[in-house]
Amino acid sequence: MSLLTGRLVVVTGSRQWPVLSGCWKHAHTATAPSPSKQSRDQPVEPVIPIFRYAPRHCDRIALRDRHGDYTYRGVFLSSRQLAAEISSLLGGRRNERVAFLCPNDASYLIAQWACWMSGQIAVPMCHGHPPPLLEHYASDCGAGLVITTQELSPSLDKVASRAGSRLLVLDDALRVLAMKPPAPLSRLAQLDEDPGAAREEVLEAGQEPEFYSDAAAMIVYTAGTTGMPKGVVLTHSNIQAQVMSLIQAWEWTHKDIVLHALPLHHVHGVVNVLTCPLVVGARCVMLPRFESSQVWSQLLAINMLASERVNMFMAVPTMYAKLIEEYDKIFAKNARMQEYIKSVCSQKIRLMVSGSSPLPAPVFEKWAIITGHRLLERYGLTETGMVLSNPLRGERQPGFVGVPLPGVEVQVVHPRPGPAPQVLVRGGSGGSSVQCADHPSGELQVKGPGVFRGYWNKPQATKEQFTADGWFKTGDTAQYSNGAYKILGRTNVDIIKTGGYSVSALEVETHLLGHPDIRECAVVGLPDITWGQKVAAVVVAEEGREVILSKLREWSKARMAPYCVPTVLKVVDKLPKNTMGKVNKKDLVKQLFPEIPAP
Ligand code: MLC
Ligand code: AMP
């Protein structure tokens, strides 16, 4: 049952906005912090939680989803209403974890802002995940409250009760309340002509300003090398630094309209594509899920007004590969259409970005032929936000991920015997310099205001991820050449990147060992042009039992995230092991998958 039903006042037709008063001056008079000025050694900029930018852009459209358009003011007010409900359910406490499961639409944004307004830590969950995994998130973070929508509530009842959390089911009216009022009330046309005309309404919400300077904003779960996913704690200050850095580097403005087809439980979708636009007053067009045909129709926007077209797109390489497949299927034989696509994409879209996993050169080249866009590849992690980016203007080299983003410092280090590793390269947004040319590559390490605070409740894991002098160890091998960085791969084979998601081979193995017909197993990543890597399981079956891929996948889907489910299966009599009794995964791949070319 919805706890909000009956509490919302929806005035349709001639909607009345409450006139609010208050001393919320800092939010709309504050100047956005300049990322280039932010560094650990300089005075800290005031931290402004993201929702406090909304009143600057009141009647502009913040979000378009499958239901319609939402104004900044609408999202702000609905979030504030939900924030009051959350505070009341949590007895006025702050810094509680609120896990939420929403579809990719405005309800996600409202839930997230409401968490922040009420001083809680937002823990986004993914609707494709099976109940045991959702339960892991909710109980690991000790969620005081789980929020969902009516549409998704059936899968969450048990999850919340098992995790010992209260469940709040949102009434759809809360989302509808945030929608753009009917035409006569809309001042959008006027604002589009003169954005300066936006009257900064005094909309008040949230905690006292000081609260946000140090508070945690989000916990994002990510695959670790061992065990179940770990919670990455990002503060409001981290998010601010990450967002300001991208706004500066990619020159976001209120005129931008970005197409969002990413999941909303990872930083790519949450920070880069949803939050950046909402700080500058731009618009986010959110699809319910990635579907090649839907993305193409948005990119081409046949029948759409020029002012309504998307002009930015950000995706993982798998999405570009799938878009190319769709293009080949539909347009390969139609030369006029091909010409049209290239001209629309190159003239109407100002930026297309790829990231989250390596962009294969053939995808880069083919995309350039189809759309005229040389994809801007950037590199980042959940723990750090975005770190390296090719230039907005200037040469984008395929296979390279560019240079440090504003506010980010990096170093490439080579392990050497003794306490101090060898620093090979040091870099920042001002430039990079080679410190030692003895080795071509080493581990990439990161510092900066965007770097996370730690893993939730895992001090030891947090400690291990940083050097003694505070550098975050990415686990990626990097090389600096031709004035840019290149990612050569991960130092640990047990993290697989598939479809842009990180998958822990050990986590999948732990699940598979729970299968009644599997005695032993090893999980490896196999290179694949579409998926980056595919999750492959090598298993030894129990005596007299048979393991079949289709049945194993079905069994796995009830226990793991869909992208962790193996898509390749090899059944062997025994796993080849070294003298220490361990499986050497690189050798295993060479031995069992000889068709795979050596890296
Ligand atoms: C799905 N399938 C896979 C697969 N995932 N096969 C192989 N490998 C995988 N990883 C199969 C399914 O089993 C199904 O087959 C078919 O593909 C369609 O499934 P789907 O679930 O509909 O897939 P789809 O929606 O097409 O998923 C593809 C995708 C998704 C690209 C949309 O993977 C995605 O959203 N990726 C984005 C991940 C992301 O945001 N990462 C950012 C992390 S943050 P069948 O036979 O069962 O029908 C980070 C930091 C940074 O990395 O730098 O950004
Ligand atoms: P996640 O663990 O999901 O936060 O993903 C972070 C990892 O994604 C990094 O450690 C890299 O291995 C990988 N990654 C992100 N962007 C890129 C890129 N452009 N090229 C290569 N790897 C990338």
Side-chain angles (χ1 to χ4, degrees), residues 358-539:
L359 177 64
V363 176
F364 178 95
E365 306 293 355
K366 180 86 194 262
W367 193 255
I369 293 169
I370 293 177
T371 64
H373 275 266
R374 289 172 71 81
L375 286 169
L376 183 154
E377 185 172 7
R378 61 45 176 191
Y379 159 92
L381 292 96
T382 307
E383 288 91 337
T384 60
M386 299 307 108
V387 175
L388 301 162
S389 168
N390 272 285
L392 181 67
R393 298 166 210 289
E395 186 56 19
R396 296 172 191 165
Q397 304 183 64
F400 284 80
V401 287
V403 297
L405 279 155
V408 179
E409 293 171 69
V410 299
Q411 62 178 17
V412 179
V413 300
H414 191 268
R416 62 176 174 190
Q422 180 106 56
V423 176
L424 306 177
V425 184
R426 269 265 156 83
S429 48
S432 295
S433 63
V434 176
Q435 315 269 304
C436 162
D438 289 354
H439 305 279
S441 61
E443 187 188 35
L444 185 76
Q445 301 184 344
V446 186
K447 258 188 195 181
V451 176
F452 81 139
R453 172 181 285 187
Y455 298 109
W456 178 257
N457 262 346
K458 291 198 167 34
Q460 188 55 31
T462 304
K463 194 167 163 217
E464 286 164 10
Q465 213 59 49
F466 285 91
T467 65
D469 54 351
W471 290 90
F472 173 79
K473 300 191 264 183
T474 62
D476 288 308
T477 304
Q479 184 180 353
Y480 179 71
S481 67
N482 288 340
Y485 293 79
K486 198 177 182 131
I487 303 299
L488 303 181
R490 294 201 65 101
T491 51
N492 189 329
V493 289
D494 281 326
I495 294 286
I496 300 167
K497 258 281 168 171
T498 182
Y501 287 112
S502 288
V503 169
S504 158
L506 301 183
E507 182 193 335
V508 180
E509 286 166 7
T510 306
H511 282 297
L512 294 183
L513 287 174
H515 190 288
D517 299 339
I518 293 177
R519 185 191 303 163
E520 277 190 286
C521 72
V523 168
V524 292
L526 301 180
D528 182 86
I529 184 82
T530 301
W531 297 100
Q533 286 181 296
K534 275 184 165 178
V535 180
V538 179
V539 308

Side-chain angles (χ1 to χ4, degrees), residues 148-422:
T148 192
T149 57
Q150 280 166 337
E151 174 187 349
L152 297 172
S153 65
S155 57
L156 267 200
D157 256 355
K158 272 200 193 132
V159 168
S161 74
R162 287 201 185 161
S165 320
R166 294 186 76 167
L167 179 66
L168 170 62
V169 180
L170 302 180
D171 194 292
D172 208 34
L174 192 67
R175 183 188 57 71
V176 174
L177 186 72
M179 294 188 95
K180 183 186 159 209
L185 288 178
S186 169
R187 291 188 296 141
L188 188 71
Q190 172 204 339
L191 292 177
D192 271 346
E193 278 162 24
D194 176 12
R199 183 168 47 87
E200 284 184 17
E201 207 163 341
V202 184
L203 291 174
E204 187 189 348
Q207 309 298 303
E208 71 281 6
E210 300 72 38
F211 173 82
Y212 295 103
S213 64
D214 195 37
M218 276 212 302
I219 298 179
V220 179
Y221 277 86
T222 186
T225 42
T226 55
M228 293 293 279
K230 294 180 287 193
V232 172
V233 181
L234 295 171
T235 60
H236 287 278
S237 168
N238 292 147
I239 293 173
Q240 172 167 290
Q242 293 178 11
V243 165
M244 292 306 167
S245 176
L246 292 183
I247 288 174
Q248 183 178 328
W250 298 344
E251 298 180 12
W252 283 89
T253 77
H254 71 276
K255 292 196 172 143
D256 288 319
I257 304 184
V258 67
L259 179 60
H260 194 304
L262 285 156
L264 284 166
H265 63 299
H266 280 298
V267 293
H268 194 166
V270 175
V271 176
N272 300 18
V273 192
L274 180 59
T275 308
C276 285
L278 300 182
V279 167
V280 295
R283 186 188 307 176
C284 178
V285 174
M286 187 179 277
L287 299 181
R289 62 189 301 276
F290 174 82
E291 237 176 87
S292 305
S293 57
Q294 293 303 311
V295 171
W296 271 123
S297 69
Q298 287 289 337
L299 295 178
L300 302 179
I302 298 165
N303 298 333
M304 203 177 277
L305 287 175
S307 58
E308 301 285 294
R309 283 172 176 278
V310 299
N311 72 340
M312 291 172 92
F313 180 54
M314 300 182 188
V316 300
T318 302
M319 292 174 171
Y320 287 106
K322 283 174 168 264
L323 288 167
I324 291 171
E325 268 172 37
E326 175 86 3
Y327 174 95
D328 283 343
K329 215 164 60 190
I330 313 273
F331 308 117
K333 294 200 179 96
N334 187 339
R336 278 191 61 196
M337 195 58 194
Q338 290 178 5
E339 221 174 278
Y340 174 79
I341 291 172
K342 189 162 186 172
S343 109
V344 168
C345 289
S346 45
Q347 286 168 30
K348 307 287 181 191
I349 298 179
R350 79 165 181 90
L351 179 61
M352 289 179 161
V353 178
S354 172
S356 299
S357 64
L359 177 64
V363 176
F364 178 95
E365 306 293 355
K366 180 86 194 262
W367 193 255
I369 293 169
I370 293 177
T371 64
H373 275 266
R374 289 172 71 81
L375 286 169
L376 183 154
E377 185 172 7
R378 61 45 176 191
Y379 159 92
L381 292 96
T382 307
E383 288 91 337
T384 60
M386 299 307 108
V387 175
L388 301 162
S389 168
N390 272 285
L392 181 67
R393 298 166 210 289
E395 186 56 19
R396 296 172 191 165
Q397 304 183 64
F400 284 80
V401 287
V403 297
L405 279 155
V408 179
E409 293 171 69
V410 299
Q411 62 178 17
V412 179
V413 300
H414 191 268
R416 62 176 174 190
Q422 180 106 56

Side-chain angles (χ1 to χ4, degrees), residues 122-138:
V123 187
M125 302 197 290
C126 173
H127 35 89
H129 287 182
L133 194 53
L134 299 175
E135 198 183 313
H136 165 71
Y137 302 139

